[in-house]
Amino acid sequence: MSSLELRGITVRYGRFTAVDNVDLLVPEGTVTGLVGGSGSGKSTLGKAVVGLAPMQSGRVLVAGSDAGRRRGRSPVQLVFQNPYASLDPRMTIGASVAEALPREAASCETPARKAPARERRSACDAEVARYLELVGIDPARAVLAPDALSGGQRQRVALARALAARPAVLIADEITSALDVSVQGAVLNLLRRLQRELGFAMLFISHNLAVVRYLSDQVAVMDDGHLVECGPTERVLERPEHPTTRNLISCVPTLALAEEAS
Amino acid sequence: MPHQDQDTSLRHRLGRTLRTPIGVTALTACLLVVLVAVFGPVLLGDQAARIDTDAINRGSSAAHLLGTDQLGRDIAARVVVATRLTLRLTLLAAVIGVGGGLLLGVAPAVVGRRLGRLITATVGVLVAFPGLLFLLFLATIFGVGSTGAVFAVGLAMVPPMARLVQNLTASIAGSDYVAAARILGVGRFKLVVRHLLPNIAEPSVLFATQAAGGILVAFSGLSFLGLGVQPPEYDWGRLLNEQLNRIYVNPVAALAPGAAVVLTGLMFGLVGEVLAQAGGRRAPQAREATPQQVKPQDETAPDGDGGALVRARDLRVTFPGGRRAVRGISLSIGVGEAVGLVGESGSGKSLTALALADLVPHPGRVCAGTLRFDGHDLRADPRLGTELAMVFQDPMASLNPALRVGRQLAEVAEVHLGATRAQATARAVDRLGAVRIPLPERRARQRPHEYSGGMRQRAVIAMGLMGEPKLIVADEPTTALDVAVQQQVLDLLAEVRADSGAALLLISHDLAVVAQVCERVLVMYGGLIVEDLPVAQLVGGAAHPYTRALVGAVPTMATDPGTELATIPGRPPEPGEAGAGCPFAPRCERARKRCHDDAPELAGFGPGQRVACWYPVDAETAVAPAQAASHGAEATS
């Protein structure tokens, strides 16, 4: 497994600079939380890493080698915020996951010379089943369309798809903000368990500091396109140095107020 | 509702649409045309080709139904035989048109940016070119004859088809799942075949079918003009051309091929209509039994409100298909009280709020034993505009992007309060100031897109404050905002409440937000209120296992990163599948037999607290909730 290193990433849309010269290192096998207000550029940064946002300058290094402008399957996979939009409504969830499988692993797509079609198909199905099982979806449901699944289940499938691509680095872009609290917990538990088991590096983008605190080893704070603070989770959240961080922390609504009242 | 039944899949809807009169007609017409095209030339080919010099230019007779032409051939047989060629050429041209259209339409999404722009621009220019002119231009280039005409008519269809496909594809190509496929390194061809084409199929097929009708007419036109099919071959247009000069001698001979063109064109139109109905939301709905209206109980005692601003008893919201989103809840909101309504998505919390404002979307039906607001019966006399303010999740959806913000606010005062334009504008500026929008006079002249997200939400709140609201209903007002802005909006709501004395019904899935602003919390689950408790009891004092689980599931800044987050196993019930027992029972670890068999009613539990649970948390030590003590609790069947 490998680290993710961003060097001098700048993203501009016309004259608007969404991300300005950001350097960030996500060490091997750890989780970095990326927080910031809306419009701070945190999601754009995540998109730029996987090539979905136009990068003016900067380099994306995965395990030390340039990965930013490579064609084909990206070693960095992204899980999107909205599980209702990130799965093709016309494909079964099994097909969605199968699409992500590396060719050499279970050649569902390219005709391997010796293996007959049936064997390839079943090898592919087995891989899909394995990934669905990994995220807690009954493999028997692989034939269902995303319509038949709830938001939390869809997000699990999206996670299975990203993991099936065997990413070196995973970017989770607000993956629980479209989910209910009760479902959020299950998805976060799953993500944390998988991260520890599979050991990929993860950039966890969220506006929810409590969630970031729960998952991350390191926290990076963005404001107005700049990276303003970055450090170990405990240090950043307990002794924030930048006013943006302090402001974000003070704005976290808590249930504790109810406790005080009582 | 994001959920869509598998039953309403395209095939299912197509089957249903085919059983409607229009579907039956389209199907019959299709079958008829296909049969004629297949068997016509086989059965009548000889007769159509037989030259009979004894019977030249005859009128209609028993031997020749439509008469004969200048070589004595039977015109009726020729019309029938011509079906095959006409259809073949039409379909061939349609294939060229649809194929070319798809190719040019999809290309900009998968080729480089520059080439994509070039294609888009070219198609744009061609679309602007008058269709008939383009067709004749192409026909001249390709020369006279069937092949030329097929290309001319087919290519003329390419630009409009390409334009449609471009627009459809652009929206699909921007979607997250296409982005995901790109990250996965899915090749261009597979991207098109797997993701783009299936998702634009329905409107494209619809367009193609209807365009095929147009092609038939255009092709017949070319043949009629002598630019299309050349003798000895003949299609309907050619027959029309041959017979038209004799229209006063033997009108049916000229009218028959014309009628064939029109009827077949109509068939294409009908097929398109059927596909549109099956593919779109217009599919005929299965008939619904009208849910019986709950008899409004004659409550003549307005003092029964007991000082409550809002009182609802046995409020129900039902949708066609037996989906009961809100299943008989009773709630009251005191004057100036701040009440939070929490629950998972699908719990019915938003519909409850919409029912209070009489805003439940169309197929939904609201019924209630009592629904009173400030002494008025809301069922007879909805109060909106001035006394009840609504704030929704997406402020951009509540503001008209084309109007200046000040104008939109002023409209409220003009319509509901009868203010003059100047008064209303002054009030709008004043209200914008009241929600802490800096430079309100300048801001009032701006349009919503010039506002930030938080400022838009403020403007919506200001709109609610144009009157003198007694109740502000805020449905997830901060969900679309980031934490810092969320805090400002919550502070603002608290301030507004303190200033105006309005009551607040705050709907949120975020318990922390509710805990911060509200005094009392109603917890909804499966369309029912399962607990009603003071906000101070939320942490530690909740009696319903669901409330406890919900509170436990929220990660806080104090959650131990070493432990797993608490979760609630299972999933909430769908609006249609509520059983006899407690809706939470299947997910509840405390559930016993009674929970699965009987639904508990909302009953008094402690001071200011009510819970709908047979075995509330701490009930082992506390006295079992007396059912008789329940006030305002209704049967939850």
Side-chain angles (χ1 to χ4, degrees):
Chain A
M1 286 298 156
S2 31
S3 62
L4 171 71
E5 190 177 357
L6 310 180
R7 285 196 199 150
I9 306 260
T10 300
V11 179
R12 283 201 197 94
Y13 290 109
R15 260 179 291 168
F16 173 68
T17 306
V19 176
D20 195 359
N21 197 22
V22 168
D23 295 302
L24 181 65
L25 174 70
V26 182
E28 195 176 330
T30 66
V31 181
T32 296
L34 184 59
V35 298
S38 44
S40 62
K42 56 187 195 305
S43 277
T44 308
L45 181 64
K47 288 202 166 73
V49 173
V50 292
L52 291 178
M55 205 154 60
Q56 248 63 43
S57 61
R59 295 173 70 198
V60 176
L61 302 176
V62 175
S65 65
D66 216 318
R69 289 161 204 273
R70 223 183 59 170
R71 288 190 74 88
R73 184 180 307 261
S74 167
V76 184
Q77 287 297 318
L78 183 109
V79 183
F80 292 84
Q81 170 173 4
N82 186 352
Y84 293 99
S86 65
L87 296 175
D88 189 333
R90 294 299 169 89
M91 269 168 100
T92 64
I93 59 173
S96 280
V97 176
E99 189 170 50
L101 291 173
R103 284 154 203 237
E104 63 273 21
S107 30
C108 321
E109 304 170 0
T110 45
R113 272 180 209 100
K114 298 229 171 117
R118 188 178 295 170
E119 234 168 78
R120 270 182 286 126
R121 173 64 51 198
S122 68
C124 169
D125 286 348
E127 276 294 285
V128 169
R130 195 169 74 81
Y131 280 105
L132 286 178
E133 196 115 40
L134 196 64
V135 296
I137 300 271
D138 181 2
R141 310 186 76 177
V143 294
L144 294 180
D147 272 352
L149 271 61
S150 69
Q153 289 170 332
R154 287 178 199 215
Q155 200 59 291
R156 286 164 187 266
V157 174
L159 190 57
R161 178 178 57 186
L163 293 177
R166 314 258 169 93
V169 179
L170 190 72
I171 299 181
D173 186 4
E174 299 269 16
I175 62 165
T176 59
S177 61
L179 303 179
D180 276 312
V181 189
S182 59
V183 183
Q184 164 180 288
V187 171
L188 291 177
N189 283 340
L190 172 72
L191 188 62
R192 199 174 68 147
R193 182 169 60 75
L194 291 175
Q195 192 272 328
R196 288 184 181 169
E197 276 173 20
L198 305 175
F200 50 83
M202 176 159 76
L203 186 62
F204 185 84
I205 303 170
S206 177
H207 68 277
N208 188 333
L209 277 182
V211 169
V212 166
R213 177 183 162 281
Y214 177 72
L215 276 177
S216 312
D217 304 296
Q218 175 183 253
V219 173
V221 184
M222 279 188 78
D223 182 36
D224 205 14
H226 300 272
L227 191 74
V228 295
E229 186 164 3
C230 182
T233 306
E234 252 176 60
R235 207 277 296 147
V236 172
L237 296 183
E238 274 161 30
R239 295 185 305 282
E241 282 162 10
H242 197 275
T244 304
T245 318
R246 280 200 283 274
N247 186 35
L248 282 175
I249 293 172
S250 72
C251 287
V252 176
T254 54
L255 282 167
L257 280 155
E259 272 175 310
E260 279 163 31
S262 67
Chain B
M1 295 276 134
H3 285 277
Q4 194 191 357
D5 281 352
Q6 281 304 95
D7 296 349
T8 58
S9 67
L10 181 64
R11 194 193 296 173
H12 185 87
R13 288 194 307 240
L14 192 61
R16 209 160 53 195
T17 315
L18 280 179
R19 284 195 289 274
T20 61
I22 197 170
V24 171
T25 317
L27 199 63
T28 318
C30 268
L31 277 176
L32 201 69
V33 169
V34 168
L35 286 177
V36 168
V38 171
F39 294 109
V42 180
L43 299 177
L44 296 173
D46 294 340
Q47 196 184 339
R50 193 169 60 230
I51 296 171
D52 182 358
T53 43
D54 293 341
I56 290 172
N57 288 344
R58 291 279 172 82
S60 173
S61 68
H64 304 290
L65 201 58
L66 300 178
T68 57
D69 67 2
Q70 49 268 55
L71 291 177
R73 292 172 296 199
D74 183 65
I75 291 174
R78 285 170 72 80
V79 169
V80 170
V81 171
T83 309
R84 186 189 279 186
L85 183 67
T86 310
L87 269 193
R88 201 178 70 209
L89 296 176
T90 299
L91 293 180
L92 219 58
V95 165
I96 292 175
V98 170
L102 283 177
L103 211 62
L104 285 185
V106 169
V110 287
V111 299
R113 191 174 295 179
R114 282 222 187 114
L115 187 57
R117 277 194 194 153
L118 185 70
I119 295 173
T120 313
T122 313
V123 168
V125 170
L126 291 179
V127 166
F129 213 71
L132 191 62
L133 211 56
F134 189 54
L135 177 67
L136 291 176
F137 172 71
L138 288 173
T140 318
I141 290 181
F142 287 116
V144 173
S146 310
T147 324
V150 164
F151 275 104
V153 176
L155 289 179
M157 186 189 160
V158 168
M161 180 82 192
R163 168 51 63 86
L164 175 84
V165 173
Q166 267 174 14
N167 291 345
L168 293 171
T169 310
S171 67
I172 302 293
S175 68
D176 283 354
Y177 57 84
V178 171
R182 284 185 206 272
I183 303 172
L184 289 171
V186 174
R188 287 175 193 180
F189 179 71
K190 278 187 185 145
L191 194 69
V192 169
V193 174
R194 275 193 206 154
H195 296 288
L196 296 181
L197 291 184
N199 283 292
I200 63 167
E202 283 170 25
S204 301
V205 168
L206 167 62
F207 181 82
T209 348
Q210 290 183 333
I215 284 182
L216 175 70
V217 174
F219 207 102
S220 302
L222 278 186
S223 288
F224 175 69
L225 291 176
L227 294 169
V229 173
Q230 299 300 315
E233 287 188 303
Y234 53 96
D235 68 346
W236 289 334
R238 185 81 221 166
L239 290 178
L240 196 60
N241 170 305
E242 287 167 1
Q243 299 306 323
L244 196 70
N245 49 3
R246 293 180 56 235
I247 191 163
Y248 295 111
V249 185
N250 184 13
V252 281
L255 291 179
V261 170
V262 170
L263 289 177
T264 313
L266 275 177
M267 177 204 80
F268 281 118
L270 276 181
V271 170
E273 184 63 25
V274 169
L275 290 176
Q277 283 201 359
R281 305 282 168 274
R282 293 188 290 148
Q285 295 269 335
R287 278 282 169 74
E288 285 307 324
T290 323
Q292 80 243 35
Q293 193 80 32
V294 173
K295 264 273 172 66
Q297 285 154 12
D298 207 22
E299 281 196 37
T300 39
D303 55 338
D305 288 2
L309 179 70
V310 177
R311 177 172 286 281
R313 270 161 56 89
D314 199 22
L315 178 69
R316 291 161 192 272
V317 180
T318 50
F319 281 88
R323 292 191 300 128
R324 296 179 299 161
V326 178
R327 303 194 289 140
I329 62 166
S330 302
L331 63 90
S332 65
I333 301 170
V335 174
E337 194 183 17
V339 177
L341 193 55
V342 300
E344 291 173 79
S345 46
S347 62
K349 55 190 193 305
S350 285
L351 283 168
T352 302
L354 291 175
L356 292 182
D358 194 31
L359 289 174
V360 170
H362 163 61
R365 295 173 132 270
V366 179
C367 30
T370 311
L371 193 54
R372 301 182 76 80
F373 175 73
D374 195 25
H376 299 276
D377 191 338
L378 279 177
R379 290 166 302 172
D381 175 24
R383 318 288 289 185
L384 266 182
T386 56
E387 293 181 3
L388 199 152
M390 288 290 297
V391 181
F392 293 103
Q393 175 173 344
D394 180 7
M396 207 54 198
S398 310
L399 294 169
N400 181 340
L403 282 181
R404 293 175 203 285
V405 174
R407 190 85 276 287
Q408 296 187 50
L409 266 65
E411 203 173 41
V412 178
E414 284 174 40
V415 172
H416 293 290
L417 305 174
T420 65
R421 201 169 170 123
Q423 283 170 336
T425 309
R427 172 125 181 117
V429 172
D430 175 64
R431 295 290 87 187
L432 284 176
V435 295
R436 298 272 182 81
I437 287 184
L439 302 171
E441 277 174 37
R442 197 171 72 83
R443 285 289 184 174
R445 287 194 298 272
Q446 291 183 335
R447 294 195 168 80
H449 73 266
E450 295 171 86
Y451 279 45
S452 68
M455 203 139 14
R456 281 179 208 146
Q457 199 58 294
R458 283 159 188 272
V460 173
I461 295 173
M463 195 188 283
L465 294 178
M466 286 302 286
E468 298 286 343
K470 292 185 173 134
L471 174 67
I472 300 171
V473 178
D475 187 357
E476 305 270 7
T478 61
T479 308
L481 308 174
D482 73 61
V483 270
V485 183
Q486 162 170 295
Q487 191 58 43
Q488 293 165 13
V489 170
L490 292 180
D491 289 347
L492 176 67
L493 279 176
E495 255 173 62
V496 162
R497 210 163 65 79
D499 289 350
S500 64
L504 173 71
L505 180 63
L506 178 68
I507 294 133
S508 181
H509 70 281
D510 190 340
L511 289 170
V513 165
V514 167
Q516 210 168 359
V517 180
C518 298
E519 296 154 358
R520 193 154 62 86
V521 183
L522 302 172
V523 183
M524 281 194 79
Y525 186 83
L528 295 170
I529 292 180
V530 295
E531 186 159 14
D532 171 359
L533 74 172
V535 77
Q537 294 290 320
L538 200 53
V539 177
H544 200 286
Y546 176 65
T547 315
R548 293 239 158 194
L550 210 52
V551 171
V554 183
T556 67
M557 294 300 274
T559 305
D560 178 7
T563 59
E564 291 249 300
L565 290 172
T567 58
I568 310 176
R571 61 177 181 83
E574 298 290 328
E577 63 179 28
C582 168
F584 188 59
R587 301 171 79 184
C588 183
E589 55 185 16
R590 302 164 62 86
R592 301 177 207 173
K593 187 173 183 303
R594 189 182 187 190
C595 301
H596 293 284
D597 296 343
D598 293 315
E601 290 177 10
L602 202 57
F605 180 70
Q609 191 167 356
R610 293 183 300 156
V611 62
C613 181
W614 294 124
Y615 308 104
V617 183
D618 291 335
E620 286 86 349
T621 50
V623 188
Q627 262 174 273
S630 69
H631 53 287
E634 289 292 312
T636 48
S637 60

